[in-house]
Amino acid sequence: MGVGKSTIGRHLADLMGFEFIDTDERIESEAKCSIQEIFASQGEASFRKLEQQLVREMDQWSNHVISTGGGLVTFEDNLEKLKSYAFIVCLWASPATIYDRISRQSHRPLLQTEDPLSTITKLLDQRKQAYQSADLMINTEVRPMRQITQIIIRSFRAAKNRNRHSMGSARVNAQAKIGPSSPAKPSNQ
């Protein structure tokens, strides 16, 4: 949410020769309606089930950069499943920066509140533990996209080399998942 995961994810996929997939776009395409419409007509729980089904499909994919919505990693065993076959990257920014980046957008159902900044802060706090278990966390407030993608590629390749023997299949190491995070965990990245 407002950390640059779609822009950075697309650029990263291009650089790595991988396919880019945005889980929200994929769900909208399969459901033939917007995330807002799913939330309004079926509720958040139904949307989270669609995300969970997609996570189960992803373990058959290889050579993808997958951009997920911020809540995907916090529900059920989604994060555990993703970590079993993907390199997890959390992009983060402060609540104020996120709010500034998305304040003019109306397609975010969880932020349709009287105080979106407070809602962002609460969501990041609730999701902090899941976000902190990423393989890599990168602050997107202070770095240009090129530097961020270089850090991700370097870290991904290092993890792939470290895990070549222990992970078994190359497919396990041929994915990078891009998702949002909060600055709760310090990172040298």
Side-chain angles (χ1 to χ4, degrees):
M1 160 178 50
V3 295
K5 66 184 185 293
S6 295
T7 302
I8 292 167
R10 282 183 174 87
H11 185 63
L12 180 64
D14 285 344
L15 290 174
M16 296 180 77
F18 285 7
E19 181 179 348
F20 175 79
I21 294 185
D22 181 298
T23 58
D24 286 351
E25 290 174 6
R26 180 80 169 241
I27 288 169
E28 287 179 334
S29 175
E30 291 177 4
K32 296 181 180 18
C33 63
S34 71
I35 301 300
Q36 272 187 303
E37 291 169 328
I38 294 169
F39 267 73
S41 65
Q42 301 169 38
E44 182 179 2
S46 292
F47 174 70
R48 299 300 175 195
K49 291 250 185 243
L50 294 171
E51 285 183 321
Q52 188 176 39
Q53 290 169 349
L54 191 53
V55 167
R56 284 177 168 55
E57 292 174 26
M58 287 183 212
D59 77 341
Q60 302 302 312
W61 301 351
S62 62
N63 299 329
H64 286 75
V65 172
I66 304 164
S67 173
T68 72
L72 182 140
V73 296
T74 65
F75 283 86
E76 302 292 328
D77 59 350
N78 289 345
L79 180 59
E80 184 179 317
K81 286 199 181 309
L82 286 170
K83 286 185 78 68
S84 75
Y85 57 79
F87 182 77
I88 310 296
V89 177
C90 280
L91 305 176
W92 65 268
S94 70
T97 297
I98 292 170
Y99 176 73
D100 185 54
R101 290 175 179 173
I102 66 170
S103 63
R104 290 164 294 285
Q105 298 174 356
S106 61
H107 69 279
R108 301 183 183 273
L110 293 178
L111 298 182
Q112 302 307 311
T113 66
E114 290 196 25
D115 187 358
L117 177 58
S118 176
T119 302
I120 291 167
T121 302
K122 288 176 190 170
L123 285 171
L124 292 177
D125 188 52
Q126 291 167 356
R127 298 170 176 178
K128 179 170 54 175
Q129 184 177 359
Y131 291 168
Q132 288 180 337
S133 67
D135 297 306
L136 175 65
M137 295 180 74
I138 301 178
N139 182 333
T140 64
E141 293 176 311
V142 296
R143 290 182 176 83
M145 180 174 57
R146 182 175 174 196
Q147 183 183 17
I148 292 168
T149 55
Q150 289 172 346
I151 291 168
I152 294 168
I153 290 169
R154 190 172 52 245
S155 299
F156 173 76
R157 288 180 177 154
K160 184 176 178 180
N161 287 333
R162 276 193 311 273
N163 295 321
R164 181 174 296 154
H165 300 291
S166 64
M167 297 295 255
S169 168
R171 175 185 50 78
V172 172
N173 295 308
Q175 296 187 35
K177 185 283 238 182
I178 306 294
S181 187
S182 71
K185 178 181 175 184
S187 172
N188 60 1
Q189 304 297 320

